[in-house]
Amino acid sequence: MTVTLADVAARAQVSPATVSRVLNGNYPVAASTRERVLKAVDDLDYVLNGPASALAAATSDLVGILVNDIADPFFGIMAGAIQSEIGGPGGRAGGERLAVVCNTGGSPERELTYLTLLQRQRAAAVVLTGGAMEDAAHQAAVAVKLRKLAEAGTRVVLCGRPPAPDTGAIALTFDNRGGGRELTDHLIGLGHRRLGYIAGPQERTTTRHRLEGHRAALAAHGIEEDPRWAVHGRYDRQSGYEATLELLRRDPSLTAVVAANDSVALGACAALRDSGLRIPDDVSVAGFDDLPFSIDAVPALTTVRLPLAEAGARAGRIAMGREEAPPGGIATVRGELMVRGSSGGPRE
Amino acid sequence: MTVTLADVAARAQVSPATVSRVLNGNYPVAASTRERVLKAVDDLDYVLNGPASALAAATSDLVGILVNDIADPFFGIMAGAIQSEIGGPGGRAGGERLAVVCNTGGSPERELTYLTLLQRQRAAAVVLTGGAMEDAAHQAAVAVKLRKLAEAGTRVVLCGRPPAPDTGAIALTFDNRGGGRELTDHLIGLGHRRLGYIAGPQERTTTRHRLEGHRAALAAHGIEEDPRWAVHGRYDRQSGYEATLELLRRDPSLTAVVAANDSVALGACAALRDSGLRIPDDVSVAGFDDLPFSIDAVPALTTVRLPLAEAGARAGRIAMGREEAPPGGIATVRGELMVRGSSGGPRE
DNA sequence: TGCGGTACAGCAAGCGCTTTCTATGCAGTA
DNA sequence: TACTGCATAGAAAGCGCTTGCTGTACCGCA
């Protein structure tokens, strides 16, 4: 049937132990022997049995990356950066690792199940990306899992996600609150006083933090927020489109719309245009994240750039133990305000 | 240390065999015993050892999805659809599977390494998405691997990728040639005679097929292509921007630019605008794929819609054996021309 | 010449699970 | 009462690999 270590050993006239050592390169083997073994491996097209190896060595070369929505470039960019550092194939260092990304679709159950699955596989490391759900029970369940993983020797890193106290997880957190505040500060600075806000899904840390930043800016400038000015939706374009129409219906006098992210902002732009409003002359629009397409919006989107690739790369290195964890196990990654054409002074 | 099957067995006062049977549910176990076992599992927080299980059962619950660029929604959308059908957690059927996506970054070596890694893990199925590299040696190497995988019982499905003859792989192929042809037909129909083409990376089936479709349309209308009209680049926005400037430099009289995909088209739009040209009044632009953001371009992008999610879902079902393979193991998935604002008649 | 040291190579004991085969108990049947 | 058959449960043999420990040469040095 399939070729085993023993087959290779037989062909190379050595013991299985020697073959294993040649393959792992962690024990001295005479050059001539090594060559003989390698030749046999090649001749037989031998492929190591991963599960058997993992079982015997009590380690695995699997690294899991959890994302909320794999179809969203926000996660894709981070995942790509993480994966490239994990070394996967082609990465610089060490044994080859299977860096795999798992799509939770924003579902708490799936998140938990994936964690269990990775725990089952005795993953070498796990990176969780993006905002967390705020349901208390779920958070507790995740915390327990993370602690278990850490105890079992799996390195756990959070990238773009708030810290999980007492779990041993390293956190690279995005300063969503600060970014949101800066963005709204900018709009207020331009003279806006009536700002709509399209928030992301309820019960998500990212959603809440960005909204809090927005409100902090309003408060700092003594602007009282009208409850009609905030709408919740999903993190996608269509949601932005619908929410904007709703906002316009509720209060046509709005002069600016702040969106939870760039995709939502794009939908907002479309809705405004379809409503016969010019950007930014009639209404200013702002996004968040600065995804690649945002600069191509017309006008180009004012937004907050998050260093997704850099943060992902760093998370990947930390997960691989190739970079030291930040002091206290927590680092805050700041965004950068990108002022572009979609924001301008309010109409008269 | 970690809890094992034996620990659970001891606590439930049964043999390890019984615990295994309860967990796998493939053998009659008295209800009372089952409950006792389940309780013990719960009490001890037992988590199955994946590698051990895979070794003993000679099967694995891993399913691999290979993508060329995880940061590109083109792949993200397909991967998400595949994964949701694989069942991963939350999926409808059967035992939980770990659907993992692997990012090759378009590198042949990484593609091969990932295949080996998945082979090593004795993956239950593998789905390869997107265009293939056209290097003969590489294609042969991949073919060999795919055959090996198939022989070892791994189901192999190609999604949006040309068939791989004699490998036993099921192929769901996109009709890139037909789509490209239809798109250019449309532009020619509008009156264009001088069309620039921004192709994707060399040596990629997708690149070649789309370009062939374009040329077939030109030929069908008796238009002789000027060699200056085609430029190769990457599948991203920046590449589209640069290529468009180059195209404009080579021949300012072009009245239309056809891009290899939507991201490239977006870059093209930006370059045209920055060059003081209006779309579509001065130059028409067309993309390919119809990614979500394409409709938000200004003007909205004329493009070819590929049913990425549908194809992915189908590939996922086939990989899980939940849907029958198409006759002959090959199915062609057609695109649909989406005529929007970015294309219009040529300027005088 | 003899002995410690070094450099390899092999033996064999698991790693934690699955599964075949073999009990065992008890109900049903003759 | 004796026997067959079914429903469960357990014993034990691996699955293919890693690794601690045990040789066995052979070298250098005293």
Side-chain angles (χ1 to χ4, degrees), chain A residues 50 83 103 110 120 237 296, chain B residues 50 83 89 103 120 237 296:
Chain A
Q83 203 164 34
N103 187 30
R110 296 185 67 167
R120 216 175 252 192
R237 142 174 223 285
D296 284 315
Chain B
Q83 203 164 34
N103 187 30
R120 214 175 254 192
R237 136 171 230 284
D296 284 316

Side-chain angles (χ1 to χ4, degrees), chain B residues 55-235:
Chain B
L55 172 58
T59 63
S60 141
D61 52 5
L62 212 72
V63 175
I65 302 171
L66 264 63
V67 302
N68 288 343
D69 180 6
I70 200 177
D72 185 338
F74 175 83
F75 291 100
I77 291 169
M78 271 196 287
I82 296 168
Q83 203 164 34
S84 73
E85 288 291 337
I86 293 302
R92 68 270 280 110
E96 271 148 8
R97 308 196 156 279
L98 217 204
V100 302
V101 359
C102 309
N103 187 30
T104 67
S107 143
E109 304 83 55
R110 295 185 67 166
E111 179 167 280
L112 236 25
T113 318
Y114 268 126
L115 286 175
T116 304
L117 246 28
L118 288 165
Q119 185 182 3
R120 214 175 254 192
Q121 301 299 330
R122 308 299 191 248
V126 172
V127 182
L128 291 90
T129 64
M133 332 280 160
E134 295 215 281
D135 175 71
H138 175 64
Q139 285 199 315
V142 169
V144 168
K145 270 267 173 272
L146 295 188
R147 195 169 326 118
K148 289 252 169 62
L149 280 164
E151 278 166 11
T154 297
R155 219 168 323 218
V156 180
V157 181
L158 310 177
C159 180
R161 199 180 166 112
D166 305 321
T167 59
I170 309 295
L172 260 38
T173 306
F174 291 143
D175 181 19
N176 285 306
R177 204 178 276 120
R181 157 126 201 202
E182 213 176 330
L183 190 56
T184 298
D185 269 343
H186 157 69
L187 291 168
I188 295 174
L190 289 173
H192 294 274
R193 289 297 175 273
R194 313 179 65 79
L195 302 89
Y197 191 93
I198 308 176
Q202 306 261 19
E203 312 275 298
R204 291 290 245 310
T205 53
T206 307
T207 298
R208 182 163 60 79
H209 293 158
R210 291 182 183 180
L211 183 50
E212 284 174 4
H214 170 71
R215 290 186 165 147
L218 293 181
H221 291 270
I223 300 176
E224 194 175 338
E225 192 190 10
D226 186 318
R228 297 173 303 159
W229 294 351
V231 184
H232 278 273
R234 296 180 313 281
Y235 274 125

